[in-house]
Amino acid sequence: MAQLAVFVLDTLYSVAVLVLISAGLGIIFGMVRVINLAHGEFLVLGGYSAITAHGLGLNIWLSMLVVAPLVVGMFGVVVERLIIRPLYGRLVNTMLATWGLSLVMVGGLNMIFGNTTTGIPLPVGGFSVGGYQVSGYNLLLIVLAALQMFVIWLVLGCTRFGLLACGTMQNASMSAAFGVNSSRVYMLTFACGAALSGLAGGVLAPLIGLTPGGGANYIAKAFITVISGGASVVSGLVASAGLFGTVSQIFTAVATPIAGELALLVVAILLLRALPSGISGRYFRNRI
Amino acid sequence: MAVWQQTVGAFLIGLVIMAALPLVADYYTLTLLVVYGILALSLGLIWGYGGILCFGQAAFFGIGGYTFAIAAINFDAAWPALFLAVAVPALFAAVLGAMMFYGRLGDVYLAVVTLVVTLILFKFMNATAGQEWVIGAARLGGFNGIPGFPTLHLPWDAQAWLIDDRLYYFCFVLLLLCLSGCRLLLASSFGRIIIGIRENETRLQLLGYDTHGFKTALFTVGGGLAGLAGALFANWSEIVTPGLFSLGQSAEIIIWVLIGGVGTLIGPVIGAALLGWLKFVFGQQSVIDNSLVMGVLLILVVLRLPRGLLPAFAALAARLLPGRGGGRRRRLLAARNHRPGETPTGHEGGSAHGS
């Protein structure tokens, strides 16, 4: 019984991590239609912001949950203005330009922080279920991921900004004709996506040994979760993260973590072969 | 035939360049640049002419290198291994390509699938450190890779290894043969159909061509070329490691092709040699990080020269020298009309927002 509970918790945790690391990319791909290959480095930047803020004496929660998204969000504004703006509508070119950005960020972070592992302490302790020790922080991440998805759904579905954003992404010139400043909406949406990546990087910083090149470990997983999810930001993302998280956890439990990662990747390929426009392209058309 | 004459002429010019290059750099560096050139050519062919943006060309490169190493150890002979190192990646590309093209994956999804395949291979090869991972007599060696396999030697003298100048000339002649082969392939009816598919796949389908089959065939050729580059790389470095499959390697190939010029054959080769050399130069100092330079270059090229260096220079030359070389200008126009990264359908990939 306790073993089952731990397995369920572990599965939920791996789903939550997938949701957290993919949400920012999902917003940027699903809404702005830009494939941000610098996403992994956005995460790393968030992590480093949190660590630096914490090192300067700021409260750890504040540095993870406020400073990290703020810094990366502002960075996102700059990136959108300088690099992404001329490339809207040219999907492959945005991929290449953001790949360049990712190399620049790896190089820059390497020069600033050095090629070593840094970390911050876990802010919460663990507790035991039956004979097993469970990390309280993992539980917190699960709650945070659920909360984050709920907030995104709320913002997109129920607020004026969400409506304007969805409208602009569907037909920019039409919404511009209605008096919406579409270039600003694009910028803000991109910044929101970047901020979400920063948040993920901030909250994951205590769990991973952060290195400047560490983003590469996340970009592929985030990428396939988002692409397999399809164009619907919330429903697609939750569906694919749920599927991949469960598969990888099952294979991790019966074999090794490497087998789990490989199984995730293989399932992604098979899924894309079967559903070329992602899960939400097939099952959740025209939902958020 | 004009194409034959041009190809032979270009081949001879290439031989002159081959003889001249050792005056400016050492054989060891040059060999690597030539191998990179073949690798860049493999992507330049499928991306520039077939419109297939493969984010995982490093997968075929790595498979080529590993096949060579494993086969060379098992046969204790390098020449049969070289042929296998072309055949196995080509076969892999054929299977993967058939799965993707007959599955009608869009541009973005194709990029993701190739990226993911590269990642799977990278992770798998890193996880093969244990004793149980052997193929014949070859241990896969995990993160440390496979060292100490027999390398190529002169066919008539088993003791005369292809190293330094011999390896350089061998690789360069192979590069020239590959370039000429691609040139002739593109001039054939197969090549014309491939370019037609790049321009408008639906139209070619309506004309009755099995476009998926043609794309698969082109992808196979690209995989074989990348495999050849991998085998030559293995000969040069005398070790193969999972680093061959890394995302960074895939990124570099794309950067070479993009900077050299998508839609040309010689452009990617020049781009690879130029950037490989730049990397070498920047690697000798430690003030500025290497990937920072590469990244800035990539961004600038995407924003300012989306067609790459060679077409940009050629367009400049055509403007400065009006009225000369009609055929050349026609080809330039064709290259100009095709802008990399712009798919005719624009927003690819299952937009649930509709329009």
Side-chain angles (χ1 to χ4, degrees):
Chain A
M1 189 59 213
Q3 197 174 2
L4 187 69
V6 169
F7 176 75
V8 169
L9 266 184
D10 276 348
T11 307
L12 279 178
Y13 167 70
S14 64
V15 173
V17 169
L18 280 180
V19 166
L20 281 172
I21 63 172
S22 320
L25 190 71
I27 294 277
I28 291 176
F29 172 66
M31 305 284 297
V32 194
R33 308 296 300 168
V34 164
I35 290 196
N36 177 22
L37 282 178
H39 176 69
E41 282 64 39
F42 279 26
L43 291 176
V44 171
L45 184 66
Y48 272 110
S49 315
I51 289 174
T52 312
H54 181 62
L56 292 174
L58 211 62
N59 177 292
I60 188 161
W61 296 108
L62 217 56
S63 18
M64 286 194 316
L65 299 175
V66 179
V67 173
L70 219 59
V71 169
V72 182
M74 286 190 296
F75 185 72
V77 171
V78 177
V79 167
E80 201 269 354
R81 285 279 148 176
L82 290 181
I83 300 176
I84 307 294
R85 172 133 309 180
L87 300 176
Y88 279 127
R90 285 150 64 186
L91 206 51
V92 175
N93 278 358
T94 61
M95 264 167 138
L96 295 168
T98 51
W99 201 334
L101 178 67
S102 122
L103 292 174
V104 169
M105 288 175 75
V106 170
L109 289 170
N110 224 337
M111 283 165 72
I112 299 171
F113 293 99
N115 194 8
T116 51
T117 305
T118 27
I120 40 176
L122 271 179
V124 280
F127 57 94
S128 45
V129 175
Y132 299 92
Q133 186 71 19
V134 175
S135 156
Y137 195 70
N138 290 6
L139 215 59
L140 193 89
L141 285 188
I142 297 171
V143 176
L144 190 69
L147 201 67
Q148 186 191 36
M149 280 291 115
F150 181 67
V151 170
I152 294 174
W153 177 79
L154 213 62
V155 169
L156 286 181
C158 306
T159 64
R160 186 176 156 75
F161 174 72
L163 188 68
L164 289 184
C166 290
T168 306
M169 300 315 156
Q170 276 191 17
N171 193 332
S173 42
M174 180 62 85
S175 73
F178 280 129
V180 178
N181 184 348
S182 58
S183 113
R184 211 168 88 213
V185 172
Y186 269 101
M187 188 183 78
L188 286 178
T189 313
F190 190 90
C192 284
L196 283 177
S197 320
L199 176 71
V203 296
L204 288 175
L207 296 175
I208 53 177
L210 211 56
T211 56
N217 296 329
Y218 296 94
I219 177 68
K221 260 194 245 170
F223 206 18
I224 52 182
T225 309
V226 167
I227 300 273
S228 313
S232 304
V233 179
V234 176
S235 52
L237 195 60
V238 170
S240 65
L243 175 69
F244 292 149
T246 313
V247 166
S248 91
Q249 202 54 45
I250 289 174
F251 276 85
T252 306
V254 297
T256 60
I258 295 283
E261 298 217 338
L262 292 180
L264 191 161
L265 298 171
V266 171
V267 168
I269 290 184
L270 296 179
L271 186 79
L272 279 180
R273 177 66 178 79
L275 307 173
S277 53
I279 299 175
S280 66
R282 177 75 170 264
Y283 297 112
F284 309 106
R285 285 194 76 93
N286 302 320
R287 304 241 192 104
I288 293 168
Chain B
M1 284 292 287
V3 176
W4 275 99
Q5 285 163 2
Q6 277 175 11
T7 310
V8 170
F11 192 93
L12 294 177
I13 295 173
L15 286 180
V16 174
I17 295 174
M18 174 177 83
L21 275 179
L23 299 175
V24 293
D26 59 308
Y27 288 117
Y28 191 69
T29 316
L30 281 176
T31 310
L32 181 63
L33 297 186
V34 172
V35 172
Y36 281 170
I38 298 178
L39 184 55
L41 177 67
S42 77
L43 184 68
L45 179 71
I46 63 171
W47 184 15
Y49 293 91
I52 307 164
L53 176 50
C54 172
F55 268 56
Q57 203 67 10
F60 310 120
F61 182 63
I63 293 178
Y66 266 91
T67 308
F68 179 81
I70 293 167
I73 289 179
N74 280 316
F75 302 153
D76 199 21
W79 284 102
L82 186 66
F83 291 103
L84 265 186
V86 177
V88 172
L91 192 71
F92 183 72
V95 173
L96 183 68
M99 190 198 98
M100 294 191 303
F101 298 125
Y102 285 100
R104 290 152 213 262
L105 290 187
D107 269 4
V108 178
Y109 296 92
L110 196 136
V112 177
V113 169
T114 50
L115 191 83
V116 170
V117 166
T118 317
L119 233 112
I120 293 180
L121 287 167
F122 180 65
K123 297 212 169 197
F124 174 72
M125 278 305 170
N126 265 320
T128 56
Q131 294 282 356
E132 70 273 24
W133 294 103
V134 285
I135 297 181
R139 272 191 61 190
L140 292 183
F143 185 74
N144 294 322
I146 309 175
F149 44 84
T151 53
L152 292 171
H153 52 77
L154 290 180
W156 54 89
D157 183 357
Q159 292 311 311
W161 305 109
L162 286 183
I163 45 171
D164 287 339
D165 52 339
R166 292 203 198 105
L167 186 61
Y168 165 70
Y169 289 120
F170 178 65
C171 291
F172 208 112
V173 169
L174 275 183
L175 171 68
L176 290 179
L177 286 175
C178 292
L179 268 171
S180 315
C182 289
R183 178 85 184 80
L184 294 176
L185 184 75
L186 289 170
S188 69
S189 59
F190 175 83
R192 283 160 200 279
I193 292 167
I194 285 295
I195 295 172
I197 293 174
R198 178 190 77 190
E199 296 300 325
N200 193 333
E201 181 162 358
T202 314
R203 190 174 295 167
L204 267 281
Q205 275 169 354
L206 292 173
L207 286 172
Y209 291 107
D210 174 14
T211 57
H212 305 308
F214 278 98
K215 281 169 113 172
T216 307
L218 184 73
F219 199 65
T220 309
V221 174
L225 275 178
L228 175 67
L232 294 177
F233 182 85
N235 267 288
W236 174 82
S237 66
E238 298 179 6
I239 183 171
V240 289
T241 63
L244 295 180
F245 295 107
S246 68
L247 282 184
Q249 184 72 57
S250 284
E252 263 181 45
I253 307 171
I254 290 183
I255 298 172
W256 298 335
V257 176
L258 188 74
I259 287 183
V262 182
T264 62
L265 283 179
I266 190 71
V269 177
I270 294 174
L274 203 67
L275 287 184
W277 180 73
L278 262 186
K279 196 178 164 186
F280 176 71
V281 170
F282 277 107
Q284 288 174 329
Q285 51 88 39
S286 54
V287 185
I288 301 176
D289 193 274
N290 215 332
S291 58
L292 190 82
V293 180
M294 285 294 188
V296 170
L297 265 176
L298 179 58
I299 295 176
L300 285 179
V301 169
V302 173
L303 288 178
R304 295 279 156 225
L305 293 174
R307 284 176 292 126
L309 285 180
L310 194 73
F313 279 135
L316 192 69
R319 205 184 308 156
L320 293 180
L321 304 168
R324 287 182 55 185
R328 173 170 289 268
R329 266 198 303 176
R330 231 181 319 116
R331 256 183 290 129
L332 282 172
L333 278 176
R336 190 179 309 159
N337 287 337
H338 170 65
R339 296 180 60 135
E342 281 180 12
T343 47
T345 42
H347 285 212
E348 195 74 29
S351 161
H353 300 305
S355 55

